[in-house]
Amino acid sequence: MTTPTIVIHHDAGVLVQAVAARLITRLVDAQATHGDASVVLTGGTAGIATLRAVAASPACTAVDWSAVSVWWGDERFLPSGDPDRNETQARDALLDHVPVDPARVHAMPAASGDLTPEDAAAAYADVLAAATEKRLHSGAPAFDVLLLGVGPDGHVASLFPEHPALHDDRAVVGVRGAPKPPPLRVSLSLPVIRSADEVWLVVAGSDKAPAVRLALGGSGPVQIPAAGAQGQRATRWLLDRAAAAELPPGLGRPASP
């Protein structure tokens, strides 16, 4: 696993703009290298704000959106179109505003009829396996970049501290009894998160500062799942000053005065 790079931005607004610019560059570089690009999206305030910033950027058109595969790290197990679904929010923020190929947008199954979170997880695992092509890690494509938020408790995707899903090595897991609503969710497992070329943890707000300190201070992934979120080639903690407030002096590189 890679040593984390920590970049600290002045505030949440600057953070979001910087991550959006970084993401556009990363997708363009991936397409220049191997002809296409893949990104795993996250929800949450900072995650969705980043997607809005991508859509609003003049550089957005530098990406060939028809050659971008879109995935999700987790999803709230709610009916299709529910405003609390990460997919719904991502479409509103970005995907409805760029010329993505619908066949390359891989939403996690929505709650419907007798479908269970475990059924949805198995179905998404099949979609991942079918898309592995030649760049294979842990039953999933080698995603170019995987975005994550971090909760105040240190959770990433829908992997919560001390939760049974953390011990599940299947590609995608159904989550029951999540400690924040809704209780039913679907999530990539830690092994698949770790299969990404780059993992970016985008974190803003003082309420996240204790979790950031613990994740970067040696805590284990069972206690602080964010500590286990690492990429194959790069792990980037992209923070605002409030989220970085409890880090030891000298840990992290300020991005601006």
Side-chain angles (χ1 to χ4, degrees):
M1 291 290 99
T2 50
T3 301
T5 298
I6 305 164
V7 181
I8 302 169
H9 296 273
H10 184 271
D11 57 31
V14 174
L15 168 68
V16 162
Q17 295 296 325
V19 176
R22 186 187 289 267
L23 180 58
I24 289 170
T25 299
R26 181 70 184 93
L27 296 177
V28 170
D29 287 348
Q31 290 178 338
T33 300
H34 47 71
D36 61 3
S38 57
V39 60
V40 181
L41 303 182
T42 185
T45 302
I48 298 303
T50 295
L51 299 187
R52 292 192 188 282
V54 169
S57 171
C60 182
T61 56
V63 178
D64 178 1
W65 290 101
S66 69
V68 176
S69 293
V70 180
W71 303 87
W72 273 266
D74 74 319
E75 187 56 274
R76 295 152 180 170
F77 193 60
L78 297 167
S80 181
D82 189 289
D84 285 336
R85 274 179 61 86
N86 292 334
E87 176 202 358
T88 306
Q89 296 177 21
R91 289 185 182 280
D92 179 68
L94 173 64
L95 300 179
D96 288 347
H97 308 286
V98 293
V100 292
D101 178 354
R104 299 185 69 154
V105 178
H106 305 288
M108 289 183 167
S112 176
D114 295 331
L115 192 74
T116 67
E118 292 76 19
D119 295 335
Y124 205 62
D126 288 344
V127 176
L128 285 170
T132 55
E133 298 175 347
K134 295 181 180 179
R135 295 183 291 141
L136 173 66
H137 290 293
S138 303
F143 308 116
D144 291 304
V145 59
L146 185 148
L147 301 171
L148 291 171
V150 177
D153 60 355
H155 82 265
V156 290
S158 285
L159 303 175
F160 293 89
E162 310 285 349
H163 200 278
L166 286 167
H167 304 285
D168 198 322
D169 60 2
R170 289 176 291 183
V172 190
V173 296
V175 176
R176 294 179 179 269
K180 61 179 292 187
L184 301 181
R185 295 162 176 254
V186 181
S187 183
L188 299 186
S189 65
L190 267 183
V192 167
I193 288 172
R194 290 171 177 152
S195 78
D197 281 358
E198 297 192 11
V199 171
W200 300 1
L201 299 103
V202 183
V203 195
S206 59
D207 60 326
K208 312 291 181 66
V212 171
R213 171 177 53 82
L214 290 169
L216 290 169
S219 293
V222 174
Q223 294 75 30
I224 303 292
Q230 297 178 309
Q232 294 289 313
R233 298 183 183 178
T235 304
R236 305 187 191 281
W237 283 77
L238 307 172
L239 313 173
D240 72 352
R241 284 183 179 176
E246 296 188 17
L247 292 177
L251 186 62
R253 172 174 60 83
S256 57

